[in-house]
Amino acid sequence: MSRIYEAYSSFIARKILFLIFGSTVLIALVIFATSVGAANLSMLDVFSAIAARFFSVKTDFFKYAVVWHLRLPRVIMGVVAGAGLALSGAVMQGITRNPLVSPFTIGVSSAAAFGASVAIMIGVGFIGTGTLLIITNAFILALVCTFTVFGLARLRGTSPETLILAGIALSYFFSALTAILQFFASEEELMMMVHWTFGSLTRANWEAILIVTAVFIITLPVLMRFSWDLNAMVLADDETAKSLGVNTTFVRTVSLILSAFITATIICFTGIIGFVGLVAPHLTRFVIGGDHRFLLPASCISGAILIIAADTVGRTILPPIILPIGIVISFIGVPMFIYLLMTRKEEYWR
Amino acid sequence: MRKMWRHFGAIILITVLLATSISGCTGMQPETPSEKITPTPTPTPEVVKKVTVQDSAGRYVEVPYPVKRIVILWDNPAEELRALGAVNKIVGIDTETKKKVDDGLFPELADVPVVGSWDEPNYEKIAEVKPDVVIMLSTYGPSPDEVQKRLEPFGIAVVALDFYRVEVWDREVKTLGFMLGCEERADEYINFFKEKWSLIKERVKDIPDEERKKVYFEGGDKYKTYGGADYGCGIPGMIRAAGGIDLFPEISAYYFEVDPEEIAEKNPDVIIKGTPGGYFLDNSSKFEGLWKEIMSRLELANTTAVKNGDVYIISWDVAGGARKKFGPIFLAKILYPEKFEDLDPYAVLKEYLEKYQGLKYQGVYVYQPISQ
């Protein structure tokens, strides 16, 4: 009995170790990312610029503006966006019991892109670039898509297959609508539509960070509370989970809405950064297993690491050209993913 | 479930229809150049020597006067700045311009740092080279307002000037000349083109509509052409300035695939295809190949253009980007050779390259031959 207990403790200890190790790597990475860039600033310059906001440290305005206006928003947005997208992916994979699911497989990104395109076409003429309109519209459409997918699936009894199929169908539907809109768009509108969907941290600013962080802080504890329920739902079918006392419909509904909520909020400000939501939870699962109590926070850390690493590489590999984050993530994430896929023998998914 | 789908579909369709009808309305009333851009920048009080200009995105921007340090996010401004003798004021360039520098077209900019690409400018790098203004495109990549927001804390102004639409080209050059404090030189340069354009306008103005040449202008891809509504890409405007009729004035998509049958049906009098390469070519075999391909298209065999052999290949070096200002001159010669026997587009190009760009004249620009 005590052997089992010891084994369990060391099992848990490994996961906690991963969390500590991951956080340390993330913090180191954030510091590194903030200190590199096209402008020639030393690490000391960066630290004194950061300190200048809080204490009366001498720094020149250029350094201050580079750090506070360009670098920090970018890095912090990367952390929150990576964490949020990975969290959303981990939860969605759990509730649908399907390793192929990510926020983007249920159509959220196509719907958001369509919402943004509509706003661009209607709004461009009379309210300038209408950023607020674009973001609001993208967000509303992302939620509409989630509710539709969920509504459709519910009609058929909330089975994981229906959710995914409905999501894929809607994803195609919204992409088609966007393509039609793009055809009727003028050059200026078309360029804005294309630019909006292009995932990038360049557009990050403090207001956006505030909104995304607030949503993340509200979402994470609720989803964490569902960890045990998610564990039960992943390990067995719905009937078994129900017999264990899990209100599967409730858990699935709330988790789905919250994951869509956080994804929509993030992509409204960053454009579409795919792959993280799919891969970060898997990478984490490979290492620490599928216990959602640890999987969720650890996925957040891996997601943030992945995005920050990709963005930093993208910014520094061919300076001053900034490589699109989507490309770099694939280069970093895919080899890692395939390595783990090939070296792990056991069935990691359950 | 079906019912739900139908409702959902209906809502989406209505949204699409609404969106397209609204944009259709604006499409039917294209803004006149005078609404889009005002040439008369108004000086503000002398204190810090700042002036306000209106750019091609319709924004009013306050810039230091005269502007001394410029970052460009597209290659068109590099060419116009050189024409105004101000290429040395460029302190940062984008990757597109860098390609031209590497081709040897801008030796003056060989040591100027790259500051990112037009669609993903590196704001840190831009801030580091400390320009007074950034000159960018009004309709590509991030919007000028977005770029302005990023660069505001550094006191850098963002001005959108395209230099690729003959409709507003002179106003844009005037604005540029004004910011640089070299209005006279700008006027002289503008007149160099305007006198040619006016001559063309004068000679084609009395051609009745039914006798005007209908032009199918094809881009690099087969059966992809340019819409003439809205702001556009400059190609339909070029055709009109040369006295021709563009085939799709009602379509706002700037570059779209068209049904070949539609082209056969519209029966163009002249077919022109644009292609990259020109200045660095020493023979016309590439152009000839493209020409033969169009001449051999069965579906076009019955069009007036193919029957009369009025099919031309034109280099973007005289019909694209900042060189669209040559479009009307070359096109007029192609469309109405009998009216423009005294106009030699190549001589105009030669004078331009030598006088305003400091480049020697060379290259192949049009096939089949149009001039002496």
Side-chain angles (χ1 to χ4, degrees), chain A residues 33-45:
Chain A
T34 317
S35 63
V36 294
N40 199 7
L41 267 59
S42 70
M43 209 171 252
L44 188 71
D45 289 334

Side-chain angles (χ1 to χ4, degrees), chain A residues 106-108 110-112 114-115 140-152 155 166-177, chain B residues 1-17:
Chain A
I106 69 154
V108 171
S110 329
F114 173 66
I140 291 171
L141 260 289
L143 285 188
V144 164
C145 176
T146 314
F147 279 109
T148 313
V149 169
F150 189 71
L152 289 171
L155 287 178
I168 291 173
L170 272 197
S171 176
Y172 276 104
F173 180 65
F174 282 115
S175 307
L177 285 175
Chain B
M1 177 167 146
R2 259 208 180 144
K3 211 171 156 191
M4 199 169 159
W5 260 116
R6 220 178 291 145
H7 280 175
F8 184 69
I11 292 167
I12 294 299
L13 261 182
I14 291 167
T15 323
V16 175
L17 286 176

